[in-house]
Structure formats: C-alpha cells, structure tokens
C-alpha cells in the first residue's frame, strides 16, 4: 500500500468529520471548532518531527492519519458536550456510514491503479467518480427512488 493510498483514508475521515464541524458552527461554537483544528495541526507537526526523520514519507502519512483521527474524536466529544444537537442520531449515523463505505469502496477501486502505476490524475478522477457513484446509490437506498408526480 502506498502512502497516497493511505492518505485516501484521511479524505474519508475528513468527510466523516465534516458534519460534526458543521454542528459546532451552527451551535455558535466556532471558537471551539477553531481550537480543535489548531490542536490537530499541532499534533500533526509534533508527530511529523518525530516520525519523518525515522520513517520518511511513511512517517508523514502516519502522522497525518493519527492527527486526523485524534481531531475527529475530539470533535465528536466537544460536539456531544457543548451543543444542543444530538450528535448520534440516525440521519447522522447514516451519513457517517455512507461516507465510510464510499471511502472504502473508493480505496478498493483505486488500489489496482496504483499497483500498475497509472497516472495520478486518472486515479484521482476514478476515485471521485467511484465515491460519488457509491454515495448516489446509498442515497437511493436510504431515500428510495424518487417518484414522478
């Protein structure tokens, strides 16, 4: 698995984290959201200083994944305790599942492309198309096929 394939998981984490960031903004908790982002960046910087000299590019990717996960969990905790919005409701969990599943399928779809050293722009385009298509299918599954009136 290449470093760039692992970074695709960070994109997935970002998509999953987005609704929780919006919950903080909508609940007038922008300062807490900003502090969480700064903490995530600082964790990333510290881990980069520790891991890059030893592991190179793999260390940088590992630092990014770890800092993204820590930021994600901190955002969930802050959202739960400082907002009146129910963080764990069915609609939000469906969205989180859809983003996670789409990210996983996207990873599976582009993994062979990286193995055969396909052009990065083609791989990114393919990843966007696969991710969007899976989200569209899951939206149809959740909401049903729209009926003509």
């Amino acid at each position: 698995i290449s470093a760039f394939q692992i970074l695709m998981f960070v994109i997935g984490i970002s998509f999953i984290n987005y609704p929780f960031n919006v919950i903080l903004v909508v609940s007038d908790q922008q300062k807490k959201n900003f502090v969480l982002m700064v903490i995530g960046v600082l964790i990333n910087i510290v881990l980069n200083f520790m891991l890059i000299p030893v592991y190179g590019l793999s260390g940088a990717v590992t630092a990014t994944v770890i800092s993204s996960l820590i930021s994600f969990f901190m955002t969930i905790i802050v959202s739960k305790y400082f907002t009146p919005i129910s963080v764990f409701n069915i609609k939000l969990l469906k969205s989180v599942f859809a983003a996670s599943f789409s990210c996983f399928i996207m990873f599976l779809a582009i993994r062979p492309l990286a193995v055969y050293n396909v052009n990065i722009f083609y791989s990114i385009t393919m990843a966007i198309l696969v991710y969007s298509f899976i989200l569209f299918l899951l939206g149809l599954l959740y909401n049903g096929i729209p009926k003509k009136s």
Side-chain angles (χ1 to χ4, degrees), residues 61-143:
V61 169
T62 303
T64 302
V65 169
I66 290 170
S67 64
S68 295
L69 285 171
I70 291 172
S71 293
F72 172 61
F73 289 120
M74 286 189 314
T75 303
I76 290 175
I77 291 168
V78 169
S79 297
K80 182 178 180 194
Y81 290 109
F82 293 103
T83 63
I85 299 170
S86 174
V87 175
F88 297 107
N89 59 46
I90 295 299
K91 286 185 179 180
L92 186 58
L93 290 177
K94 282 183 180 180
S95 297
V96 168
F97 172 76
S100 301
F101 185 72
S102 298
C103 181
F104 178 70
I105 298 299
M106 175 183 64
F107 171 75
L108 293 178
I110 66 166
R111 186 162 186 238
L113 300 177
V115 170
Y116 295 112
N117 293 323
V118 174
N119 186 322
I120 188 72
F121 295 109
Y122 177 73
S123 296
I124 291 171
T125 303
M126 188 65 166
I128 291 169
L129 291 173
V130 168
Y131 186 86
S132 301
F133 182 69
I134 296 299
L135 273 183
F136 174 74
L137 289 179
L138 288 174
L140 288 179
L141 179 68
Y142 288 155
N143 302 325

Side-chain angles (χ1 to χ4, degrees), residues 7 10 37-52 59-68 70-71:
L7 282 177
V10 174
M37 288 183 192
V38 169
I39 290 171
V41 168
L42 292 175
I43 290 170
N44 194 356
I45 291 170
V46 169
L47 288 174
N48 278 329
F49 277 122
M50 292 169 36
L51 297 176
I52 289 176
V61 169
T62 303
T64 302
V65 169
I66 290 170
S67 64
S68 295
I70 291 172
S71 293

Side-chain angles (χ1 to χ4, degrees), residues 1-31:
I1 297 176
S2 76
F4 296 111
Q5 288 174 322
I6 295 171
L7 282 177
M8 295 305 276
F9 283 115
V10 174
I11 293 171
I13 293 168
S14 297
F15 283 137
I16 295 168
N17 195 23
Y18 180 74
F20 297 102
N21 288 328
V22 170
I23 286 173
L24 288 173
V25 171
V26 167
S27 299
D28 199 29
Q29 302 292 329
Q30 295 91 334
K31 288 181 184 177

